[in-house]
Amino acid sequence: MRSDGRLDTGIALVCVVLALLALVMPRITRDNLASALRTTVLSPIVTLEARTTAMRAAIDSRNNVLQLRGRAATQALGVSAVADENATLRQLLGLASRLEQEFIPAEVLPARGFADDFTLALSVGSNAGVEQFLPVVTADGLVGMVRSVDPATSYAISWAHPDFRVSAMSVDGQAFGIVQPHLGSGVERWLLEMRGVRFRAKLDTGTLIVSSGLGATYPRGIAIGVVVGELATPEKWARTYLIMPAVLPSAMSPLLILRRGVQTRDLNGVWTSITAADSGARAVAAAGDSIARIAAMAEVAARRAALDSLIADSLASDSTALRRLPPADSARRADSVRRVTGPPPSGDRP
């Protein structure tokens, strides 16, 4: 221990002496000596310091780039969210003007404590005029119905709830039925089905389905969805159709609660069609709003892709049964053959 202490003391004294000599040396001699030390004894240390400085600068530069990218991504997401919100508010303002103020605006609250995802907690209650069994809608169409009311909040079931039912018809009034949740598995769980349609009422893919006004809850003319295809059922006297909802689960806020007086009105024309809504979004984009253009085109493309996928999935199971059916004009061809090969008319007999 003593030898180590003496060595340290000796090294310290040598350093002090060298420092004093460096102070009294001429400046040129001191600079030459320092340069010689840097290029010989201290060369590895100087090289290591230079590399460390370069690495530190590279790390700082990369961190700055990552921070800039993060801020840019955050701003882009914010712009997209603002564009979506603006488009939704534009549609709601248009719907409000057509409803003539016979509605109560509401927001969907976080529904904690519910056992399912089909019940909506709304931000308004009886203090704002909300009552039981009032329809809940958005600018796209029907969401559901108010089920219970508190003074400051209310609770509604959406179209995905197992208890949801609405009397419906095609937009041209040629086919009537009852719309209810499809209750399938996977993606098909978020579809609807229209049951009890008379067998002679054939609905094409893309036909708009609206509420019929039968009953005391939903007024006539609220958009429910569009026909995806026909479902094979054992019922031979009625048809069942698969319906894609007009209001997607991600678009159920903000919304409007229709007042009691509007339930007796005919709302045909308020919700025209999904295609008209898409064309309206394109018209807004054409007006020069570049942000709205991106959001509107993305929504149109997503709806078209979802519709094509649902059509392919729902009709795949029915392709075999459709191939077994005889051609529609086979009966006419058989009748024409019998007329040609049958006996000649009485006036032509010899």
Side-chain angles (χ1 to χ4, degrees):
M1 296 295 294
R2 291 181 179 179
S3 59
D4 293 341
R6 291 176 182 177
L7 180 61
D8 294 340
T9 303
I11 293 175
L13 292 175
V14 170
C15 291
V16 170
V17 172
L18 292 176
L20 294 175
L21 291 176
L23 290 176
V24 299
M25 283 183 182
R27 182 174 181 180
I28 297 176
T29 304
R30 187 168 62 249
D31 292 342
N32 292 334
L33 181 61
S35 177
L37 290 175
R38 284 195 298 269
T39 57
T40 56
V41 179
L42 300 178
S43 177
I45 299 176
V46 172
T47 303
L48 180 61
E49 183 182 4
R51 291 180 178 178
T52 303
T53 304
M55 290 178 61
R56 185 181 296 109
I59 293 172
D60 293 340
S61 176
R62 179 168 178 79
N63 289 337
N64 293 333
V65 170
L66 292 177
Q67 291 177 2
L68 290 175
R69 288 180 179 178
R71 285 197 292 268
T74 302
Q75 293 175 359
L77 292 175
V79 168
S80 178
V82 170
D84 293 341
E85 184 178 0
N86 288 339
T88 301
L89 291 177
R90 290 191 191 102
Q91 294 175 354
L92 283 177
L93 287 175
L95 176 62
S97 64
R98 295 190 295 270
L99 290 175
E100 301 177 358
Q101 305 300 323
E102 295 185 3
F103 62 87
I104 303 169
E107 292 280 348
V108 177
L109 303 176
R112 297 180 179 179
F114 291 117
D116 55 62
D117 298 329
F118 316 131
T119 303
L120 306 177
L122 308 182
S123 59
V124 292
S126 59
N127 294 337
V130 179
E131 303 176 17
Q132 279 187 311
F133 311 121
L134 293 183
V136 181
V137 300
T138 68
D140 292 326
L142 182 62
V143 174
M145 175 194 70
V146 175
R147 195 169 198 176
S148 60
V149 182
D150 292 336
T153 57
S154 55
Y155 302 93
I157 60 172
S158 68
W159 50 257
H161 197 281
D163 295 338
F164 175 81
R165 299 291 188 276
V166 55
S167 177
M169 67 178 186
S170 59
V171 71
D172 57 4
Q174 298 299 316
F176 290 79
I178 301 297
V179 172
Q180 63 186 54
H182 180 51
L183 300 180
S185 59
V187 178
E188 291 187 359
R189 176 62 184 87
W190 301 100
L191 296 176
L192 298 167
E193 58 184 50
M194 184 175 179
R195 291 182 168 271
V197 181
R198 60 189 179 90
F199 190 78
R200 293 184 179 181
K202 179 67 175 178
L203 298 179
D204 297 329
T205 299
T207 301
L208 178 66
I209 303 300
V210 299
S211 56
S212 66
L214 301 177
T217 301
Y218 304 100
R220 183 187 182 97
I222 303 178
I224 299 174
V226 294
V227 174
V228 174
E230 185 176 356
L231 289 175
T233 62
E235 300 174 351
K236 302 303 181 184
W237 58 90
R239 297 180 184 270
T240 300
Y241 290 95
L242 197 64
I243 308 296
M244 184 176 70
V247 181
L248 302 179
S250 60
M252 289 186 177
S253 182
L255 43 79
L256 304 178
I257 303 174
L258 301 185
R259 294 184 182 274
R260 182 69 64 185
V262 80
Q263 292 178 322
T264 59
R265 287 179 51 189
D266 188 349
L267 299 180
N268 279 332
V270 177
W271 291 271
T272 53
S273 65
I274 302 301
T275 305
D278 291 339
S279 64
R282 288 194 293 270
V284 172
D289 191 346
S290 59
I291 297 176
R293 182 185 299 110
I294 296 173
M297 293 302 104
E299 181 181 1
V300 172
R303 288 196 179 193
R304 287 179 178 174
L307 180 59
D308 293 339
S309 176
L310 291 173
I311 291 172
D313 293 340
S314 62
L315 297 183
S317 60
D318 298 338
S319 59
T320 304
L322 291 175
R323 285 195 296 269
R324 293 178 180 176
L325 292 176
D329 58 343
S330 61
R332 292 196 297 270
R333 289 199 299 269
D335 293 339
S336 62
V337 171
R338 284 195 296 270
R339 286 196 296 268
V340 173
T341 59
S346 58
D348 295 338
R349 294 180 181 175

